[in-house]
Amino acid sequence: MVRATFRFYADLNDFLAPVRRGAAFTVPCAENATTKHMIEALGVPHTEVEVILVNDRPAGLDALLEEGDRVAVYPRFVTFDVADLVRADTMPAGRLRFVADAHLGGLARLLRMAGFDTIYCNTLRAGEIEAVALEEGRVVLTRDRELLKRRGIDHGACVRARKPQDQLAEVFARFDLAERARPFTLCLDCNAPLRPVAREDVKDLLPPLVRAGQDEFRRCDCCGRVFWKGTHWERMRTMLDAAAAGLQPYA
């Protein structure tokens, strides 16, 4: 068994026991322990980590710890340039797709509203979330830090905010979603693509005032729901703009 000294920075301290926050502390490490193993043993999900320094040198999550190592652990940086450092592999490549746990149904709907493929079912168990994340390369969104420590989860985020609109702003900032958003292209209920449809094809499904005053419609082929740019569209557009700007319009 070896001993190593750890120091966690910024929001990562939220996951630590109070006595270990904001200061360096030394702990024993299991034989052949990696940085990932010890970081999670101390309470921090690896998905929350972006940069690790061991003895002031960049290291990965798979680095083996040795006697006397000094480990500095940093969250994802927003303004600090870490281009020359080794980043932990916590950002998936390509178009981001999500799976949200049972406590984030409101956030899931808002992400769909922004055009991000988001699986949500309030009966999904931890093992099922892990399986779909692994099989489909999805980012796990949860308020349960233990879920993010599961072996099959490579990418995820522990959502701190409690209100859905604030959670949306948090996830937008965490994953730089502003430029990737494609608003109003997915069904809020089914997560299926919406397609443009002629008014004549859906006129029997529309309220009289909508039928008379709207020209553009989209329909979900899965559930048949029809969407148009009413007052609800304006409210959602405002919410998306606020999230993209890093604001929280509804405190």
Side-chain angles (χ1 to χ4, degrees), residues 76 91-98 111 114-117 139 172 174-183 185 244:
R76 185 171 185 275
M91 288 287 287
R95 178 74 178 166
L96 291 184
R97 299 189 299 167
F98 299 94
L111 283 170
F116 294 98
D117 181 344
V139 177
F172 258 60
R174 169 71 181 267
F175 294 103
D176 296 325
L177 298 185
E179 298 300 321
R180 309 186 196 189
R182 299 173 185 170
T185 57

Side-chain angles (χ1 to χ4, degrees), residues 6-13 15 39 44-59 61 70-78 80-82 85-90 160 174:
F6 287 80
R7 172 72 162 88
F8 290 82
Y9 289 86
D11 292 346
L12 296 182
N13 283 279
F15 298 103
I39 286 169
V44 180
H46 74 275
T47 57
E48 303 302 294
V49 174
E50 179 158 0
V51 171
I52 303 170
L53 301 180
V54 177
N55 302 324
D56 299 322
R57 294 184 177 182
L61 288 166
R70 294 173 289 105
V71 185
V73 188
Y74 298 85
R76 185 171 185 275
F77 291 101
V78 176
F80 187 70
D81 184 6
V82 294
L85 299 180
V86 176
R87 298 168 180 259
D89 185 19
T90 58
R160 270 81 159 184
R174 169 71 181 267

Side-chain angles (χ1 to χ4, degrees), residues 111-161:
L111 283 170
R112 291 171 180 173
M113 178 183 73
F116 294 98
D117 181 344
T118 305
I119 289 178
Y120 169 78
C121 176
N122 60 12
T123 60
L124 280 181
R125 299 181 180 272
E128 294 171 311
I129 292 175
E130 179 183 15
V132 74
L134 181 61
E135 292 170 7
E136 301 182 14
R138 292 181 180 270
V139 177
V140 175
L141 301 176
T142 180
R143 290 181 56 82
D144 178 7
R145 73 177 74 176
E146 295 304 316
L147 175 58
L148 295 176
K149 296 179 185 179
R150 296 180 74 98
R151 186 183 302 273
I153 295 177
D154 292 326
H155 308 292
C158 185
V159 180
R160 270 81 159 184

